């Protein structure tokens, strides 16, 4: 059965993100937006189906997220989840453990900027548990 992906931003959705699927709960889609390697600014659009989130992880060179559609969540280890909407920007310092993804009921799309790409590595950690994810969704309802 093919999932109908709604148009939630002006950026392309891309293809199902099968390469990184082991690090996600649920389906995500990836569209690389920059191709000129000499510019040294990898930029991609990541789209998450409702309920999809990535594992806890960190980037050795940091990351910037620019929300372009839907509603999502971002959480750093030991902190409350943040509810994300179109226009929000999240600056993630190097080596900060975090996760991000869609809310339980909304598609979500963000542009991901890889900072310091020559030395930046993704360090994938354990999955976000259903309990952690459920609590994050409850926090946005409480405000």
């Amino acid at each position: 059965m093919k999932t109908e992906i709604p148009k939630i931003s002006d950026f392309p959705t891309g293809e199902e993100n099968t390469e990184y699927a082991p690090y996600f709960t649920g389906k995500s889609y990836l569209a690389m937006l920059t191709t000129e390697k000499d510019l040294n600014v990898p930029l991609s659009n990541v789209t998450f189906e409702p309920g999809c989130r990535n594992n806890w992880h960190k980037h050795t060179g940091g990351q910037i997220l620019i929300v372009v559609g839907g509603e999502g969540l971002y959480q750093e280890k030991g902190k409350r989840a943040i509810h994300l909407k179109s226009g929000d920007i999240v600056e993630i310092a190097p080596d900060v453990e975090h996760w991000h993804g869609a809310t339980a009921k909304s598609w979500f799309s963000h542009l991901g900027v890889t900072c310091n790409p020559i030395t930046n590595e993704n360090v994938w950690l354990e999955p976000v548990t259903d309990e952690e994810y459920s609590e994050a969704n409850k926090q946005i309802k409480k405000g």
Side-chain angles (χ1 to χ4, degrees):
M1 182 172 114
K2 176 135 173 63
T3 301
E4 184 66 31
I5 304 167
K7 179 175 172 49
I8 60 173
S9 84
D10 289 333
F11 294 95
T13 302
E15 300 298 319
E16 187 173 337
N17 190 4
T18 56
E19 181 179 352
Y20 291 94
Y23 309 111
F24 283 73
T25 299
K27 283 188 185 176
S28 68
Y29 301 83
L30 179 65
M32 290 305 300
L33 302 177
T34 54
T35 57
E36 179 56 56
K37 300 235 183 276
D38 291 339
L39 291 176
N40 206 23
V41 183
L43 176 67
S44 58
N45 184 36
V46 184
T47 301
F48 301 75
E49 70 180 357
C52 178
R53 70 269 189 186
N54 50 32
N55 287 8
W56 289 100
H57 64 286
K58 59 186 177 178
H59 308 272
T60 61
Q63 184 181 39
I64 298 171
L65 306 178
I66 303 166
V67 181
V68 294
E71 294 185 40
L73 296 162
Y74 168 81
Q75 186 173 23
E76 293 180 2
K77 198 67 132 179
K79 295 184 179 180
R80 286 178 55 91
I82 298 170
H83 184 204
L84 300 174
K85 295 182 183 173
S86 191
D88 288 341
I89 297 174
V90 181
E91 296 176 279
I92 307 163
D95 296 313
V96 171
E97 288 187 26
H98 66 282
W99 67 269
H100 35 99
T103 64
K105 296 183 180 178
S106 176
W107 283 82
F108 176 60
S109 185
H110 68 59
L111 303 183
V113 181
T114 301
C115 303
N116 305 297
I118 293 173
T119 59
N120 196 343
E121 294 180 25
N122 286 3
V123 179
W124 292 103
L125 305 166
E126 69 277 1
V128 174
T129 66
D130 289 343
E131 183 179 85
E132 289 170 320
Y133 183 71
S134 177
E135 183 58 32
N137 276 276
K138 286 179 192 170
Q139 288 175 10
I140 63 170
K141 293 175 184 157
K142 293 177 185 174

